[in-house]
Amino acid sequence: MKKIFAVVTLLVSLLLTVSTGFAATTAAGQQYPSFVDGAALVKPVDKTNLLSNLRQIETKHGIRCAVLTVKSTQGMNIRDYAQSVQDQYFANAPKGSILMVISMDNRKWHITTDSAMRTKILDKVVTGELKDAFINDLKKGNYASAFNKYGSKVDELMSYYEKNGEAYDPSNAFSFGAAGIAGLLSLLFGGSVKKSMVNSMSNVTNAVSAGQYLKRDTFNLLGGNDRYLYTHTAVVPKAKSNNSGGGSSSGGTGGHGGGGGSF
C-alpha cells in the first residue's frame, strides 16, 4: 500500500511540475529543457543564460546536464524523486546524464547520475568537489550563480574524463614524488639551521669519552630483588557482528549514483 501511495504521489508531483513548464514541447525529436524552474527561483534573463550554458555543456560532451527546482516533492524522498525524474525525462543521452533537483519546502538538494555518468563523475566527487562549487551560493540564495557553477564543474569533470580516460578521483591527486622532494628539502634546511645554531653556542664542546656525560654520586644501587605477588585474568566475551545495518545517504539504487544534502 505504501509503495502504491508513493507512486501515485510521484505522478501527481510530476504532473504539477509539467504544468509549471516541465514539458518543453511535444514535437518529435525534441527533449525536455535542461533547466526547469518549478519553484521560480531564477529571473527570466538569468534563466536564458543558464539554459544556454547547460546546452553548450550537453552538446560538448554528449550528455544531459540538467537542473530542476520544485516547491515540494510531495513528501517523497528527494533521492527517489530525482532518480524517477531522471529515468523518465533525462535518460536519452548517449554518454550519460546528471540531474540536480532542488526542493524548497525542506531546502534539500540532490544530484543523481545514471549508470553511465556514474563511471565518469564518482559519487564522492558529487558530494565533494562538485558540491563545494555551488553550495555557498545555494545557501545565500544566489540560485542562478549556484546552477551555473554546478554546470561549469560538470564541464570540468567531463573534460578531465575525456582527456585522461578515467574519472577524476581526489585520492589520486596526491603526488608522492612531490611529497618526497618536499620532505628531503625540509630535512636539508632543518639540518643546516641546526648545525648553524650548534656552532654558534660557545659553551658546547665534544666530550673526549662517554664517562664525561655521567653525573657522579647521583645514584647508588646496593641491591635488588623481585617478588611475585599474584596473577589476575579477565575474560571478556567477543561481541557478535550485526549485519543488519542501514544504507548511506550518498550513492543510489538501480545503477544510480550521486548524493545530496541540505542548504
Side-chain angles (χ1 to χ4, degrees), residues 41 70 218:
L41 303 180
V70 294
T218 58

Side-chain angles (χ1 to χ4, degrees), residues 196-212:
S196 176
M197 293 178 66
V198 169
N199 291 336
S200 66
M201 297 174 66
S202 60
N203 63 334
V204 177
T205 60
N206 293 327
V208 178
S209 64
Q212 291 181 262

Side-chain angles (χ1 to χ4, degrees), residues 43-219:
K43 297 178 181 179
V45 62
D46 293 328
K47 179 179 179 180
T48 301
N49 179 62
L50 176 59
L51 269 170
S52 176
N53 292 339
L54 292 176
R55 285 169 179 164
Q56 288 179 21
I57 294 169
E58 291 179 328
T59 302
K60 177 181 178 181
H61 301 291
I63 63 174
R64 291 307 312 270
C65 178
V67 178
L68 167 65
T69 74
V70 294
K71 295 179 180 179
S72 171
T73 58
Q74 305 296 317
M76 189 175 184
N77 180 282
I78 189 170
R79 185 187 69 175
D80 297 335
Y81 182 90
Q83 292 176 359
S84 297
V85 171
Q86 183 181 40
D87 289 343
Q88 295 184 53
Y89 300 101
F90 298 99
N92 57 342
K95 297 184 179 179
S97 72
I98 182 169
L99 168 68
M100 171 193 276
V101 174
I102 303 294
S103 179
M104 293 305 296
D105 61 338
N106 50 16
R107 294 184 66 84
K108 288 186 178 295
W109 65 272
H110 190 86
I111 294 175
T112 177
T113 55
D114 64 7
S115 57
M117 181 62 71
R118 194 178 189 182
T119 63
K120 301 176 178 66
I121 300 180
L122 305 179
D123 295 350
K124 61 181 176 181
V125 174
V126 170
T127 54
E129 283 81 352
L130 181 52
K131 179 202 72 175
D132 293 340
F134 64 80
I135 192 64
N136 287 334
D137 281 324
L138 202 59
K139 290 179 178 179
K140 295 175 183 178
N142 300 328
Y143 298 111
S145 176
F147 301 151
N148 274 305
K149 289 179 178 178
Y150 150 80
S152 296
K153 193 64 179 180
V154 170
D155 181 22
E156 178 184 327
L157 293 169
M158 285 299 302
S159 295
Y160 180 95
Y161 175 84
E162 292 164 358
K163 179 181 179 180
N164 297 278
E166 62 181 7
Y168 168 74
D169 189 341
S171 61
N172 295 334
F174 180 80
S175 174
F176 289 97
I181 294 174
L184 180 60
L185 292 176
S186 298
L187 288 174
L188 293 174
F189 178 76
S192 63
V193 171
K194 178 182 178 181
K195 183 177 181 180
S196 176
M197 293 178 66
V198 169
N199 291 336
S200 66
M201 297 174 66
S202 60
N203 63 334
V204 177
T205 60
N206 293 327
V208 178
S209 64
Q212 291 181 262
Y213 292 104
L214 297 177
K215 289 186 177 181
R216 306 294 180 179
D217 303 326
T218 58
F219 179 72

